[in-house]
Amino acid sequence: MTGPVPLAIVETTQQPTTIITVRDAVFDLMRRFGMTSVFANPGSTELPMFRDFPSDFRYVLGLQEASVVGMADGYAQATRNASFVNLHSAAGVGNAMGNIFTAHKNRTPMVITAGQQARSILPFNPYLSSAQATELPKPYVKWSIEPARAQDVPLAIARAYYIAMMPPCGPVLVSVPVDDWDQPAELVPARVVSTGLRPQPAVLAQIADALNASGRPAIVVGAAIDRDNAWNEVVALAESHNARVWVAPMSGRCSFPEDHRLFAGFLPAMRERIVELLGGHDLILAIGAPAFAYHIEGAGPHIPAGATLCQLTEDPDTAAWAPVGTSAVGSIRLGVLDLLARPPQKERPLPPAKSVPQRAEPSSRMSVAYVLQTLAEAKKPDDIVVEEAPSARAVMQTYLPITRSETFYTMDSGGLGYGMPAAVGVALGKPKSRVICLIGDGSSMYSIQALWSAAQGKLPITFVILNNRRYAALQDFAPVFGFSPTDVVQGTELPDIDFQSLAKGMGCAASRVSDPGELRAVLDRALASNAPSVVEVRVA
């Protein structure tokens, strides 16, 4: 497991024997923060940054800014450290905004630098300038700044890093005028800035008392558990209380082994259905997740009658809008460790086990269930799945169980264009792992350029495209808004996309399979390859 750079930042790596420029000071700082991989798409206002590019740094080129940020998101999550992104002025930040929004929802630490025109001509509204550079990415960055002086750029980037890494983590942006990089500056002093916040003891004691007094507790887990490296501690907490464990709606990480005896399943983003599934529990403890994320309108109570809601979250805003219950704010792992320090006062029987699904059988028109069941049998338990197949997610949750920490990534935002580049970033961040990008045909077209980056990096990624030739998630969701089963949903059909040609044109091997009898062999070959490959699976 790759961890973040230690809190104690030691000596600077460059001695001031000559004039230090802004560029020198920033590279020195990035090296000490462990941000030596730069995810970028170049533009004219960024070029001076990369003169005399250090030999120990890596430039990761994305062919479009959304792909750049998606790769950086996957890399930051895989390495548990802020990634470094360089974008081009207003147009580049604008192109990237979809995945900046996703990074914000994913709580991904990310330092984004954006080019700006030269300070001397900014009063004249020059070509390629960003008129309101700090406002453009808001509200989906934790902090943004265009430093008042060139000499302030290194300190601004240091501050940006510390803010990005503080819980809840997230992206930040620093706008840097093009003529700043060659200006004289000073090296940034070494500092220690903590990244863990312990929840208020008195509030956590109330939650522990409620948990101990409960007769039928349920734990709802969210993405922050795996982000904060609290997987083992949450498993231990659930086992000590014999608590059933549900996954929160729309969770971007796996935070509990889905083959565990206490695993109950996944909560949908529907208020009434959540209340129904959690019925019978007298205490609900949400850890690292909102309580609860909804997707459609609902009515009635937010939790079952007679139940109490408690929440441990790293996000003050999430704690503030929770409609009921007691919320403790702080780092997830530290909070769970404090709960574990107060052992249960009574024994509870094991709750009922989750039912085992029936096996999916092959058919002439392959079902998604059969495809994912076959993939689950073909892959290794520690292979990493990066998913962006919204219409297949419920089926995936049944037939493709995730059983190990740090082996599942998707977007908390619901925005498309994340999966393919995120798979590239995860593969770069975990170079010894096999990465499987499970993606829909519609989703893949939002950031198909990521295939080129995967090919250039010779990364061991298997892209499995579930091709149903439509935006199935929209068609499936249409009845919620009054469509009848026979109504045409405009703009949701996607015929005639040749994924084999697209993949080969980007430098990846590719195959297409529609016969269930051939599926396992095709997957086995792709999963054994040391280079990226695309498997297009025609599904019903």
Side-chain angles (χ1 to χ4, degrees), residues 242-267:
N242 270 346
R244 298 184 82 192
V245 178
W246 295 86
V247 176
M250 308 299 184
S251 184
R253 299 280 288 267
C254 177
S255 298
F256 196 84
E258 294 170 16
D259 59 351
H260 195 283
R261 172 66 177 78
L262 293 171
F263 181 69
F266 297 82
L267 295 178

Side-chain angles (χ1 to χ4, degrees), residues 253-522:
R253 299 280 288 267
C254 177
S255 298
F256 196 84
E258 294 170 16
D259 59 351
H260 195 283
R261 172 66 177 78
L262 293 171
F263 181 69
F266 297 82
L267 295 178
M270 301 172 59
R271 185 191 304 192
E272 295 88 345
R273 184 72 175 130
I274 290 172
V275 171
E276 178 186 349
L277 289 171
L278 294 178
H281 293 291
D282 59 353
L283 177 83
I284 299 155
L285 173 58
I287 304 178
F292 299 96
Y294 302 132
H295 191 198
I296 59 175
E297 284 186 273
H302 296 274
I303 58 174
T308 299
L309 175 67
C310 296
Q311 182 180 43
L312 173 60
T313 176
E314 86 281 29
D315 184 9
D317 187 55
T318 297
W321 67 248
V324 296
T326 300
S327 296
V329 179
S331 301
I332 301 302
R333 187 169 184 273
L334 295 179
V336 175
L337 285 171
D338 286 344
L339 292 175
L340 285 170
R342 298 169 60 103
Q345 303 300 309
K346 58 184 177 183
E347 293 186 5
R348 300 182 183 88
L350 275 172
K354 183 175 179 284
S355 60
V356 177
Q358 290 185 339
R359 284 189 62 81
E361 300 299 332
S363 56
S364 57
R365 298 184 66 191
M366 250 190 300
S367 69
V368 172
Y370 180 77
V371 175
L372 299 186
Q373 175 182 277
T374 305
L375 178 60
E377 294 167 349
K379 79 176 191 70
K380 297 176 181 177
D382 57 353
D383 288 346
I384 298 171
V385 175
V386 180
E387 176 265 329
E388 193 180 293
S391 64
R393 190 165 297 156
V395 182
M396 179 197 71
Q397 291 167 349
T398 300
Y399 289 97
L400 184 61
I402 307 299
T403 61
R404 297 191 183 181
S405 177
E406 299 187 80
T407 61
F408 178 75
Y409 301 85
T410 188
M411 71 292 189
D412 279 334
S413 67
L416 302 182
Y418 167 82
M420 277 190 162
V424 174
V426 171
L428 289 169
K430 293 185 178 294
K432 296 181 180 179
S433 298
R434 160 68 54 180
V435 176
I436 300 165
C437 179
L438 178 66
I439 194 163
D441 54 332
S443 298
S444 68
M445 294 306 298
Y446 281 73
S447 292
I448 197 76
Q449 305 93 336
L451 292 177
W452 181 88
S453 297
Q456 293 298 304
K458 298 180 173 59
L459 301 173
I461 306 173
T462 303
F463 296 90
V464 179
I465 299 177
L466 301 174
N467 186 1
N468 55 23
R469 299 166 295 283
R470 60 195 181 109
Y471 289 129
L474 292 177
Q475 293 180 354
D476 295 344
F477 204 61
V480 174
F481 296 106
F483 286 77
S484 74
T486 58
D487 284 343
V488 174
V489 183
Q490 297 297 328
T492 58
E493 297 295 331
L494 298 174
D496 305 327
I497 300 176
D498 187 346
F499 287 102
Q500 281 188 300
S501 295
L502 286 170
K504 291 176 180 178
M506 297 280 184
C508 293
S511 55
R512 179 185 296 127
V513 57
S514 55
D515 183 347
E518 299 174 357
L519 178 63
R520 178 60 188 267
V522 172

